[in-house]
Amino acid sequence: MIAKGPIIIAGAGHAGFQLAACLRQEGFPDPIVLINDEGHLPYQRPPLSKAYLKGTGCAESLIFRPSKFYDDQKIELIADRVTSIERNAGQVTLASGSALKYGHLVIATGARNRMLALPNATLDDVRHLRSLDESESLRHKMKVARHAVVIGAGFIGLEFAATARRAGLEVDVVELAERVMSRAVTTEISKFFHERHAAAGVRIHLGVHVNSIAADGTKVTGVSLSDGTSLPADLVVVGVGVLPNVELAAQAGLPTASGIIVDENLLTADQNISAIGDCAIYASQRFGGPLRLESVQNAADQARCVAARLTGKNKIYDALPWFWSDQGPDKQIVGLTSGCDRVAVRGDRAQGSFSIFCYRANELIGIESVNRAGDHMFGRRLLGAGGSISPEQAADMTFDLKGVL
Ligand SMILES: Cc1cc2nc3c(=O)[nH]c(=O)nc-3n(C[C@H](O)[C@H](O)[C@H](O)COP(=O)(O)OP(=O)(O)OC[C@H]3O[C@@H](n4cnc5c(N)ncnc54)[C@H](O)[C@@H]3O)c2cc1C
């Protein structure tokens, strides 16, 4: 059934923008209102910790589309913030005080930085990296800083570390876990990137946490670790993960957990409200349980799925997850590789061009590729079609992957 407009989209990040654009592509005729609480046209986030942070490119290079696109597509882009949802009245209220009626509401509010609960953690020298404004001011800060301490060795912390080191800063990375990117990649990939960062001069401290941030007045001077180490620092970058923005939904009485709970159609408990992207935890048939992902692929594919549903092409969301990172050598991942019990290596690790084929109970569950885009694309097609190859075939460079497809 085709939804009745207007469709209101709360949040104009990857998911919100993609949904508005796809609704028009799918021929949705009624009003579309995209509510954007950032002071920029909707933009892409991945370059914020990569090319943009290096100082190449201007803010305009990050925007999805110029303002003319919204006019042409009759997408009303409102610079405001949704402050509440009145489900009985079928309306949202904005920070400006105005109220807007919806036929269908899509919550695409993303996630926000997790803060450190430490004294001095709010000083100007302590930074986070999620928004364009944060990346912009960080790239200026990097020009004057000498010694950065990065808290958290996840994707964003390590991408920042690689960029800062190349810009000539001393860089220490502090990580609570016993290996870098431990939540997202296999031990083999952690080890490879740890070695790469170390070879570039980044010092990585594992199995420790930050006890305190020292400051002289408002200027950060260093960081003390739980093992007694003191690190000098004039810049601290906190990359300890994000919190999904669930409050709007929770205050409206919609079920939330570590995300806004949606079914396999990405619908909340209210048939007139969907949730997509980083803020949503969906019922994954592929993985047999609730799943919340933080990736561009997930945000964009969920948007496409909801656009199809709202224009009468009902389908469940079951896309194969994939994502990438850039910390020197490109790394791409397809599938979810946590819980793998066997790996096969294809390619040449010493040359920095290899893939880890990850298996659970003899079933291929994902492929982590470093500078092997062909393996990544193979994985997307093979796993997308529910296929598998054996670990022996994966490790055999004479085995023709394309032949399998
Ligand atoms: C620095 C960085 C690098 C990344 N690199 C990669 C990468 O290489 N590959 C990859 O796959 N993923 C990457 N990601 C993750 C990816 O960007 C996110 O998964 C994606 O942005 C999620 O899209 P979203 O629309 O759900 O949320 P967001 O992009 O966070 O957008 C949500 C928007 O909603 C707004 N909002 C929140 N509350 C309200 C409200 N009440 N009213 C109105 N608006 C509201 C927010 O301000 C924000 O603009 C990166 C993320 C960051 C921060």
Side-chain angles (χ1 to χ4, degrees):
M1 203 178 71
I2 299 179
K4 277 248 160 282
I7 292 179
I8 291 189
I9 306 168
H14 280 267
F17 165 78
Q18 189 68 54
L19 175 62
C22 284
L23 280 168
R24 285 296 182 238
Q25 275 164 19
E26 298 280 353
F28 184 74
D30 291 347
I32 300 172
V33 183
L34 182 57
I35 300 174
N36 175 23
D37 74 343
E38 295 197 59
H40 306 277
L41 283 171
Y43 62 88
Q44 348 164 19
R45 285 186 205 282
L48 300 180
S49 51
K50 307 177 184 76
Y52 190 75
L53 191 63
K54 284 179 196 149
T56 50
C58 54
E60 284 72 47
S61 67
L62 300 182
I63 62 171
F64 293 117
R65 292 297 176 94
S67 55
K68 185 176 179 308
F69 169 82
Y70 302 92
D71 297 340
D72 291 349
Q73 296 293 315
K74 298 197 171 27
I75 295 169
E76 191 181 353
L77 188 60
I78 296 184
D80 210 330
R81 183 172 178 78
V82 179
T83 51
S84 66
I85 304 168
E86 289 82 41
R87 287 166 57 198
N88 289 340
Q91 69 175 32
V92 294
T93 300
L94 308 185
S96 59
S98 50
L100 301 175
K101 292 270 184 206
Y102 60 79
H104 196 89
L105 170 67
V106 182
I107 306 174
T109 46
R112 60 181 180 276
N113 295 314
R114 191 187 286 274
M115 299 293 168
L116 273 190
L118 281 178
N120 293 331
T122 54
L123 289 178
D124 186 56
D125 293 336
V126 181
R127 299 299 181 96
H128 295 81
L129 183 47
R130 176 138 192 116
S131 67
L132 175 51
D133 291 343
E134 286 167 341
S135 180
E136 175 73 32
S137 72
L138 197 48
R139 76 181 193 176
H140 290 297
K141 191 86 182 164
M142 278 164 59
K143 290 190 184 134
V144 291
R146 291 199 180 152
H147 196 145
V149 170
V150 181
I151 305 178
F155 288 121
I156 290 173
L158 289 179
E159 286 178 357
F160 170 80
T163 306
R165 184 69 196 126
R166 261 185 236 130
L169 276 72
E170 293 291 320
V171 181
D172 285 272
V173 177
V174 180
E175 168 59 50
L176 191 59
E178 294 299 332
R179 60 185 178 89
V180 302
M181 300 181 285
S182 62
R183 282 192 307 136
V185 300
T186 54
T187 313
E188 287 74 9
I189 293 285
S190 289
K191 196 163 174 283
F192 175 80
F193 276 89
H194 190 142
E195 288 167 10
R196 284 283 180 142
H197 285 289
V202 174
R203 292 174 291 267
I204 299 180
H205 309 258
L206 297 174
V208 283
H209 62 267
V210 172
N211 269 348
S212 61
I213 299 171
D216 182 3
T218 58
K219 292 271 156 220
V220 165
T221 55
V223 158
S224 304
L225 308 186
S226 52
D227 65 357
T229 308
S230 289
L231 302 171
D234 53 6
L235 172 62
V236 174
V237 174
V238 182
V240 295
V242 296
L243 295 171
N245 291 323
V246 300
E247 290 75 8
L248 267 185
Q251 283 155 15
L254 296 170
T256 62
S258 57
I260 302 167
I261 296 175
V262 291
D263 64 13
E264 65 278 7
N265 291 304
L266 307 173
L267 264 175
T268 66
D270 183 328
Q271 296 300 295
N272 295 322
I273 305 180
S274 304
I276 55 173
D278 281 13
C279 68
I281 180 163
Y282 72 99
S284 167
Q285 293 194 348
R286 183 183 289 273
F287 298 102
L291 191 61
R292 190 181 71 79
L293 296 170
E294 293 162 15
S295 73
V296 168
Q297 168 276 322
N298 180 66
D301 281 347
Q302 291 196 340
R304 288 186 192 101
C305 183
V306 169
R309 167 161 54 78
L310 295 177
T311 51
K313 293 155 238 125
N314 230 3
K315 59 177 188 180
I316 64 159
Y317 182 71
D318 200 23
L320 178 72
W322 60 266
F323 53 103
W324 75 97
S325 178
D326 178 357
Q327 305 161 31
D330 286 332
K331 176 167 59 53
Q332 296 170 310
I333 300 177
V334 57
L336 294 181
T337 58
S338 64
C340 84
D341 51 30
R342 180 172 179 187
V343 298
V345 182
R346 186 178 181 87
D348 190 344
R349 187 185 187 281
Q351 296 293 319
S353 170
F354 66 105
S355 292
I356 308 288
F357 283 63
C358 304
Y359 292 83
R360 189 167 51 220
N362 287 325
E363 199 59 35
L364 182 67
I365 56 170
I367 303 173
E368 301 173 340
S369 304
V370 178
N371 288 327
R372 284 185 69 86
D375 290 356
H376 174 76
M377 293 313 295
F378 165 77
R380 279 166 62 178
R381 290 181 63 190
L382 183 75
L383 290 166
S388 190
I389 60 170
S390 71
E392 293 74 21
Q393 289 169 326
D396 177 1
M397 287 295 276
T398 65
F399 180 76
D400 178 22
L401 298 181
K402 284 202 185 108
V404 179
L405 299 173

